[in-house]
Amino acid sequence: MNIEIRTDNHIQGSERLIGYVRDEITQEFQRYSERITHFSVHIRDENGEKAGIHDTRCMIEARPAGMKPVAVTHTANNIDLSIHGAIDKLKRNLEHLYEKREHHRGGLPEYVDADDGVIDDAV
């Protein structure tokens, strides 16, 4: 699992920040480590030198093996909140994507009896 981290010129991409982001992504996506080949994280300050609410933006793109990339963004008041907001959104998207792929067409819904194809009204 390769993790690439970039910042704009208004946010210092220090070793501490890079290490923190790597640790958070590795920890949060450990269960998908075999399925995701690459993460790309972009952190930027939307307003530059000016202060403002929700001006720190984090975009995370994940590249699941054999599928199209999944990207999410989250804006917040500071770097930490923007990173965790984007991580939460990405986790939900990936869980949905993998559930959808694993329970793809062809399987019977839970309320259908596999033996006779008759809908069970007891549910």
Side-chain angles (χ1 to χ4, degrees):
M1 184 166 61
N2 184 22
I3 302 172
E4 176 186 344
I5 301 159
R6 296 181 182 210
T7 61
D8 71 356
N9 58 348
H10 298 289
I11 295 177
Q12 183 181 6
S14 66
E15 289 299 318
R16 182 175 172 215
L17 175 63
I18 291 170
Y20 174 74
V21 173
R22 277 187 205 281
D23 290 345
E24 291 297 311
I25 294 221
T26 302
Q27 178 182 343
E28 294 293 331
F29 295 100
Q30 186 66 35
R31 74 184 269 200
Y32 300 116
S33 63
E34 298 288 321
R35 296 173 149 182
I36 298 175
T37 60
H38 185 83
F39 285 97
S40 182
V41 180
H42 299 270
I43 304 168
R44 64 178 284 186
D45 187 344
E46 295 285 295
N47 295 336
E49 299 289 326
K50 297 180 277 184
I53 52 176
H54 299 296
D55 68 339
T56 305
R57 178 175 169 243
C58 178
M59 188 279 294
I60 304 176
E61 178 183 284
R63 295 187 186 164
M67 299 193 312
K68 292 181 180 180
V70 177
V72 297
T73 60
H74 187 78
T75 54
N77 292 334
N78 60 43
I79 294 172
D80 191 48
L81 291 175
S82 66
I83 290 168
H84 284 283
I87 286 173
D88 290 342
K89 285 181 180 180
L90 186 59
K91 278 174 57 177
R92 283 193 307 270
N93 282 353
L94 289 173
E95 286 171 1
H96 177 74
L97 181 69
Y98 287 129
E99 279 182 26
K100 192 174 175 182
R101 188 171 183 137
E102 289 170 4
H103 301 291
H104 196 60
R105 298 177 196 150
L108 295 174
E110 293 177 22
Y111 58 85
V112 176
D113 188 359
D115 293 331
D116 57 11
V118 177
I119 297 176
D120 186 7
D121 291 329
V123 178

